[in-house]
Amino acid sequence: MKKKGIFGGTFDPIHNGHLHVAYEALYNLELDEIIFIPSGNPPHKTSKAVTDGKIRYDLVTKVIENERRFKVSDYEINKKSLSYTYETLEYFKELEPDTQWYFITGADCLMDIYTWKNIDRIFNSCKFVVFNRSGYGKKEILNQKSLVEAKLNKEILFLDIPILEISSTTIRNKLREGKSISYLVPEGLNKVLKEMNIYK
Ligand code: ATP
Ligand code: MG
């Protein structure tokens, strides 16, 4: 049975923190591949403007081209509306019912899991994998993990890996201020982002 990971995010832009965690997940969970899924654009303008989905998708594509086990999907960016996680997971599950799917997400998501739509359907389509995010202690994460596991009667996998303190927000801000983003994103992307000048 194939084992594949799903890693969703805004990826505005993708950075080494994302790639590092994806690679750790690939390796630790012995996955055949990980699919990066950039989120769609909000149908109505929200308080925070997000870069066009096609651009964020192209940047992911560029960055992962040398790792054959990293893939990208345009499923969410092509949707007219924002996709709920359960819909995305069910889409992939239906596409490949014989694959064991893993949904990989940060501890922040585990903390507010009850605000997500149809969590039972999320847990029925995949194995739920949580990794540390800064701001959350290991004890706090493990405690919440036990509570959610007991409530939903499902197992949650915890990936205890070191996290690089990088965020897309930091990168956008640095670019706006004309500062260097070397070593925060892969070298190739560094040049492309400067040339594209999208984060003005
Ligand atoms: P922003 O600063 O715009 O919020 P971000 O850097 O947090 O962006 P997202 O696209 O929001 O990135 O995150 C997508 C996924 O990657 C989420 O599951 C999030 O928990 C995770 N993630 C974000 N930054 C890191 C990081 N430095 N290390 C590991 N995972 C990260
Ligand atoms: Mg974030």
Side-chain angles (χ1 to χ4, degrees), residues 3 20-31 129 158-162:
K3 295 163 69 178
H20 161 71
V21 87
Y23 194 75
E24 287 283 341
L26 190 72
Y27 187 84
N28 283 293
L29 303 168
E30 299 178 319
L31 304 179
V129 184
F158 176 51
L159 266 186
D160 192 10
I161 51 175

Side-chain angles (χ1 to χ4, degrees), residues 5-20:
I6 287 181
F7 187 34
T10 321
F11 302 126
D12 190 17
I14 185 163
H15 54 66
N16 285 346
H18 298 132
L19 293 162
H20 161 71

